[in-house]
Amino acid sequence: MQQLIYFLQKFKYFLFFMLLQLIALALIFNNLNFHRSKYVNSANSLTGGMYNKVSNISEYFSLKHTNNILLEENTRLRNLLQQKDISILNIDSTVIDTLKYFQKFTFSNARIINNNYAKEFNFLTIDKGEKDGVQKEMAVINSLGIIGITDNTSKRYARVQSILNKNSNLNARLKNSQYFGSLKWNGLDYNIVQLIDIPRQATVRVGDTIETGGKSTIFPEGILIGTVSSVNKNNAVENIINVKLFNDMSNLGKVYIVKNLHKEEIKNLENLVNE
Amino acid sequence: MNKTIFFGLLFVFMILIQVFILNNILFLGYVNPYMYIMFIFLYPLNKNRFVFLFLAFLLGLIIDFFSDSGGIHAFSTLFIAYIRLFFVRVYFNKFEVDFPFFRLNLEPFGKRFNYVVTLTVIHHFILFSFANFSFQNFSNVLTNTIYSSIFTLILYFLVTFIFSKKQ
């Protein structure tokens, strides 16, 4: 007993140090897991609130740029609306109402108050949370393309796992041929992401557009991602295609959050099949 | 100024500067100074180290909260806080009797330089290894460590130079 007390007395700092190091290690390993990273994140009210205050100020410096982006998007959407009128008139006059109003996704807007892009596991923080109906695993996009998936929510804030995260894995496809693969990031360049598992028979050329595939319950179909910047011509096991993002991930402001209204239904159905 | 108040203010100040200014620098896209470890260098050497170790852990953890990085800052900051004493013995030849009179700013520049450089490089190396979390891109870890260390050290010596002139 005396020896034990003597031991504790001698190594008390080392033991305290090891205890704290173990806590830190546990937090590190927790954070690597998409579904369990709930302890240390910037979506809590203190850090979220402080980021919100700072970005309230810094927002003014990019007002002009933001306005331009909005104007461009509005122009594009107006043009799309015009096209739609014509095509509906051209096809037929019998439109079934349930088809016309078959809404699968709802969009709401948010503002990015903290943006990371230079690390290997990047996260963003947005200023909408559970109070505004943001839940886990909702898509985050902007007018230029995809940004990420929400992974942690608090009352007023949510944390978004950026596509620039080594854990991220999205369904994506070629716009011209519908072959699909998964989109990952190797942690090097924040403008370039990797598309893997595209079938060999698919012809991929530099400059082809990549968009979301709609095979997941998170992202709507056909959201833009980027263009093919280089194709691996070697006979490697994994068929890696480099994709240059349309979005400049280092310069993001307002985003849209996409909610899939049919998510429960699809998930239930898929679970039934598995049983 | 009272020592406790001074280090309390320094603690808060270091966090605010790191999170809202230095984390946004990203020179050339990835080189970032981590000047908050200055707190570890400056904190006085006490006989009782529990408070210091806990503060180091807390400092790292708060930075982690802001930058969504799990516990990597907490781990690396606590590590240099623990091994600090070893390097004080090696570089300055100070032992427990000298601790109350030890002041980093009064030591000769050469010794101080060695001490600060060693701790900074160790901290950055652990930090970037954990941030990368694989043996792929290991050269990236090394370049990140070297460039960011240089950046941190330049900032540290600039700051100490400015504040020592005033006194």
Side-chain angles (χ1 to χ4, degrees), chain A residues 237-274:
Chain A
V237 179
E238 31 188 13
N239 199 5
I240 298 176
I241 296 164
N242 283 325
V243 178
K244 189 175 187 308
L245 294 170
F246 288 127
N247 256 329
D248 179 3
M249 292 296 284
S250 62
N251 186 10
L252 298 172
K254 307 274 188 186
V255 292
Y256 300 110
I257 306 167
V258 187
K259 185 184 183 180
N260 188 343
L261 299 170
H262 296 180
K263 189 175 170 182
E264 291 287 309
E265 199 179 326
I266 297 171
K267 279 261 162 88
N268 285 339
L269 190 66
E270 282 174 351
N271 284 340
L272 274 182
V273 172
N274 285 341

Side-chain angles (χ1 to χ4, degrees), chain A residues 13 31-32 42 51 119 159, chain B residues 47 66-68 70 78 133:
Chain A
Y13 296 121
N31 199 48
L32 289 172
S42 57
Y51 272 133
K119 289 183 280 190
R159 186 171 79 160
Chain B
K47 219 173 169 197
F66 275 105
S67 46
D68 281 311
L78 184 62
F133 214 78

Side-chain angles (χ1 to χ4, degrees), chain B residues 107-130:
Chain B
E107 293 295 322
F109 183 79
K111 287 178 178 179
R112 213 171 77 200
F113 183 80
N114 285 345
Y115 172 71
V116 171
V117 168
T118 320
L119 286 185
T120 310
V121 171
I122 292 173
H123 173 271
H124 284 30
F125 180 70
I126 298 174
L127 184 74
F128 288 117
S129 313
F130 269 111

